[in-house]
Amino acid sequence: LRLQAGRMKSGDVAQSPNPAEDTGRQKKTSKKRVMVNVQHCKYAVVKKCMKQIGCTNVDDEVEDWHVLWSDSSLPIERYISLQPWQRVNHLPGMAEVTRKDNLSRNMQRMSKLFPEEFNFFPKSFILPTDWPLLRSFYQGALETAKQARAAKTPAGESSSSATPVPRPTLIVKPYSSSQGRGICLVQSLDALGPHDDVVVQEYIANPFLIEGFKFDLRIYVLITCTDPLRVLVYKDGLARFAT
């Protein structure tokens, strides 16, 4: 977009000695400005960035827009009606990886097919379907912790008087929330219900910290095509610290 908009700026057009030619050329250039449909975008920063790179923000009333920027996935009918020159910021089927329940389900399938390559994925449960499996896993983790404590208890000392059994920590994530909304840590199934629409995962007991803070590292990529796969990696990353 930046490259295309930069080419279309009137200031980049060579000056003509004929003012009439300049006027006509400027009008022609203004018609070629990239039009971005931002009606379905609520983030002001996106609209501001579009203006900064020379684009024109429009709404659904303008049918010949070049780019549609939407906060959510689009219905398949929208893709079918696209003109050859139009682009959208979502790929069909993105919900299979952007929704946490679909992502978890697909990752579990991949781990069965390629166990060595997908062994980084934590134990996950999609509620309410996996509620019985989650209860069984939790009880098994408690029993394992009890046995480990009993093995470390000195002879002659009752294990019941020793340090309390550490409960497994679970991280709970709503299906389709973003930016950390609704995510919480629990150590008891009493905080959950069998009908909750959430993904529950085994949490790392001793996570790697920086000066006591949990953090994550993000690398941003742009997928411009899936067949053939074309991925552009942004040079700058992002580190987030939980304070």
Side-chain angles (χ1 to χ4, degrees):
L1 283 175
R2 183 184 295 275
L3 177 61
Q4 184 71 6
R7 291 174 177 172
M8 296 179 178
K9 287 184 179 178
S10 58
D12 294 340
V13 179
Q15 297 296 322
S16 169
N18 188 340
E21 290 184 8
D22 287 341
T23 302
R25 189 171 296 174
Q26 289 175 2
K27 288 183 178 179
K28 186 176 181 180
T29 302
S30 62
K31 292 181 180 179
K32 288 184 178 180
R33 295 187 69 179
V34 176
M35 292 185 293
V36 183
N37 186 338
V38 292
Q39 178 167 332
H40 307 281
C41 175
K42 65 180 179 181
Y43 298 104
V45 64
V46 174
K47 303 174 184 179
K48 181 179 179 180
C49 289
M50 294 302 179
K51 289 183 178 180
Q52 287 181 345
I53 63 176
C55 299
T56 300
N57 293 335
V58 299
D59 54 25
D60 282 342
E61 293 184 359
V62 179
E63 297 181 356
D64 56 345
W65 46 263
H66 301 96
V67 177
L68 170 65
W69 194 281
S70 174
D71 295 339
S72 58
S73 58
L74 303 172
I76 191 62
E77 294 78 15
R78 201 69 189 256
Y79 294 101
I80 296 175
S81 63
L82 287 177
Q83 299 299 322
W85 67 84
Q86 293 180 322
R87 299 292 184 269
V88 296
N89 67 320
H90 290 277
L91 295 172
M94 279 186 59
E96 290 298 319
V97 294
T98 55
R99 279 181 58 103
K100 295 178 178 64
D101 55 336
N102 293 337
L103 175 62
S104 178
R105 189 177 295 108
N106 290 325
M107 292 295 287
Q108 290 180 21
R109 292 171 179 169
M110 295 300 291
S111 64
K112 292 180 180 179
L113 294 173
F114 309 101
E116 295 183 2
E117 290 80 1
F118 285 82
N119 59 2
F120 61 89
F121 192 66
K123 188 70 175 178
S124 304
F125 305 90
I126 305 173
L127 301 189
T129 305
D130 292 341
W131 176 254
L133 296 176
L134 174 61
R135 292 192 59 180
S136 176
F137 167 80
Y138 185 81
Q139 294 299 329
L142 277 180
E143 187 62 30
T144 300
K146 291 179 181 179
Q147 295 176 2
R149 186 188 66 172
K152 295 180 180 180
T153 302
E157 182 178 340
S158 174
S159 60
S160 59
S161 62
T163 305
V165 176
R167 293 177 175 269
T169 303
L170 306 172
I171 185 169
V172 182
K173 305 176 182 179
Y175 283 173
S176 57
S177 294
S178 61
Q179 302 174 358
R181 290 188 292 263
I183 296 179
C184 62
L185 299 177
V186 300
Q187 290 186 314
S188 172
L189 296 186
D190 295 338
L192 300 174
H195 303 293
D196 293 343
D197 293 327
V198 294
V199 173
V200 182
Q201 296 176 314
E202 183 182 13
Y203 196 67
I204 299 176
N206 54 339
F208 179 66
L209 307 175
I210 294 182
E211 295 185 356
F213 293 111
K214 181 181 179 290
F215 69 96
D216 63 14
L217 302 175
R218 291 192 172 190
I219 298 176
Y220 290 90
V221 300
L222 173 64
I223 302 176
T224 59
C225 184
T226 56
D227 188 15
L229 181 62
R230 186 182 299 114
V231 181
L232 305 179
V233 182
Y234 192 59
K235 293 182 179 179
D236 295 337
L238 175 69
R240 303 190 309 171
F241 292 84
T243 59

